[in-house]
């Protein structure tokens, strides 16, 4: 009511379920937990508007609208028109990004009446705008997909994430940070599985017992004749003439 605008339906349903969201996770290095991932959606009370007040308490201090760079080309090709810090747009902070920038809910057409159409943009520390998604639901999916890794929003900028953040991406989200490699080499991240080897039959082949070699008939006959001759030579077996 204060800003004469209505929350988009998906964001309103989100705030009806929970007043904001914050999740952090850590990694253990040398048996010491180190905070790494952070996923934040500001509560309704912290959904502050940007660009309306001065950045400093000094008299005649510049506002964000004074510092806005109007030399950027807008709406060329597929690039959407960037937000403005003046009365043309309404901008609300969704995520402070741990000081690395700000994820903002943007009403791009605020004059003469605030349009219900919103977009999610990323404002970096140099006050340059980078488009993220058209809906809050799509942004929420991006947030979960990137695990809240440090500076993950910079993956959607022209200069990308820092070398330190890229190391964490290579460890926990290698496919996300190597999308160019994935498009060039389709088999780079494909788990090659040979079903013939995996589902190979494990039935053991029966072992045939070896039979003793059979003696030839000739040797068997000679063995019989030798036994008969030996028996006839024994005492008491002499034949009468």
């Amino acid at each position: 009511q204060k800003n004469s605008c209505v929350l988009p339906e998906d964001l309103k349903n989100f705030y009806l379920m929970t007043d904001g969201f914050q999740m952090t996770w850590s990694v253990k290095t040398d048996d010491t937990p180190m905070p790494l991932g952070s996923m934040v959606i500001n509560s309704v009370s912290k959904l502050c508007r940007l660009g309306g007040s001065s950045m400093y308490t000094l008299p005649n201090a510049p506002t964000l609208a004074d510092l806005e760079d109007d030399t950027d080309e807008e709406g060329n090709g597929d690039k959407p028109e960037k937000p403005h810090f003046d009365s043309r747009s309404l901008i609300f902070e969704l995520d402070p990004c741990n000081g690395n920038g700000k994820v903002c809910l943007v009403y791009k057409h605020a004059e003469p009446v605030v349009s219900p159409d919103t977009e999610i943009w990323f404002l970096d520390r140099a006050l340059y705008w980078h488009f993220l998604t058209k809906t809050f639901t799509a942004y929420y999916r991006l947030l979960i997909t990137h695990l809240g890794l440090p500076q993950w929003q910079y993956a959607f900028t022209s200069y990308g994430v820092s070398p330190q953040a890229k190391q964490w991406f290579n460890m926990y989200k290698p496919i996300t940070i190597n999308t160019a490699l994935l498009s060039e080499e389709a088999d780079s991240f494909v788990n090659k599985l040979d079903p013939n080897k995996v589902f190979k039959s494990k039935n053991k082949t029966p072992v045939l017992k070896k039979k003793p070699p059979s003696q030839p008939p000739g040797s068997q006959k000679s063995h019989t004749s030798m036994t008969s001759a030996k028996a006839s030579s024994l005492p008491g077996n002499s034949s009468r003439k």
Side-chain angles (χ1 to χ4, degrees):
Q1 294 179 356
K2 179 180 178 181
N3 296 284
S4 302
C5 58
V6 179
L7 288 175
E9 194 67 23
D10 53 357
L11 183 56
K12 182 173 69 174
N13 293 334
F14 175 82
Y15 280 126
L16 288 175
M17 291 187 296
T18 176
D19 187 15
F21 168 74
Q22 182 175 4
M23 177 179 178
T24 58
W25 56 277
S26 305
V27 295
K28 184 176 288 188
T29 57
D30 297 332
D31 296 331
T32 303
M34 182 185 73
L36 182 62
S38 176
M39 293 174 274
V40 177
I41 302 294
N42 282 340
S43 61
V44 175
S45 61
K46 294 182 179 179
L47 204 61
C48 303
R49 182 182 175 185
L50 299 182
S53 59
S54 174
M55 297 178 59
Y56 308 98
T57 57
L58 299 174
N60 300 323
T63 63
L64 287 175
D66 298 326
L67 300 176
E68 184 176 2
D69 185 8
D70 291 330
T71 59
D72 293 344
E73 296 181 358
E74 300 176 359
N76 290 341
D78 297 332
K79 296 181 180 179
E81 181 184 356
K82 70 172 186 177
H84 300 279
F85 291 114
D86 55 19
S87 58
R88 289 175 289 179
S89 303
L90 287 179
I91 305 168
F92 299 92
E93 179 184 319
L94 284 176
D95 183 1
C97 304
N98 291 327
N100 293 315
K102 295 180 184 295
V103 174
C104 301
L105 174 71
V106 178
Y107 295 81
K108 293 175 63 176
H109 305 287
E111 292 180 346
V113 181
V114 179
S115 173
D117 299 330
T118 58
E119 294 175 346
I120 308 298
W121 286 70
F122 174 61
L123 179 67
D124 65 18
R125 298 183 63 180
L127 302 182
Y128 286 104
W129 287 105
H130 309 277
F131 176 77
L132 293 179
T133 62
K134 283 185 171 296
T135 63
F136 170 77
T137 302
Y139 168 74
Y140 189 76
R141 290 172 179 170
L142 278 182
L143 176 65
I144 301 299
T145 302
H146 288 80
L147 307 177
L149 288 170
Q151 305 175 17
W152 71 265
Q153 296 89 353
Y154 282 89
F156 295 87
T157 66
S158 58
Y159 28 86
V161 299
S162 65
Q164 182 181 4
K166 188 175 292 186
Q167 293 181 2
W168 293 117
F169 269 87
N170 287 328
M171 184 176 296
Y172 294 103
K173 292 292 294 179
I175 296 181
T176 303
I177 202 63
N178 293 291
T179 52
L181 179 62
L182 183 62
S183 60
E184 294 175 2
E185 300 178 11
D187 296 335
S188 298
F189 299 95
V190 176
N191 186 8
K192 298 181 180 180
L193 183 66
D194 187 356
N196 296 325
K197 293 182 179 180
V198 175
F199 301 104
K200 187 177 181 180
S201 177
K202 296 183 179 180
N203 296 331
K204 296 182 178 180
T205 56
V207 180
L208 298 177
K209 295 182 179 180
K210 294 183 178 180
K211 294 182 179 180
S214 59
Q215 296 180 352
S219 61
Q220 192 173 14
K221 184 177 181 181
S222 61
H223 178 74
T224 305
S225 60
M226 289 176 64
T227 306
S228 301
K230 185 177 181 181
S232 61
S233 62
L234 293 175
N237 285 342
S238 58
S239 58
R240 294 180 181 179
K241 293 183 180 178

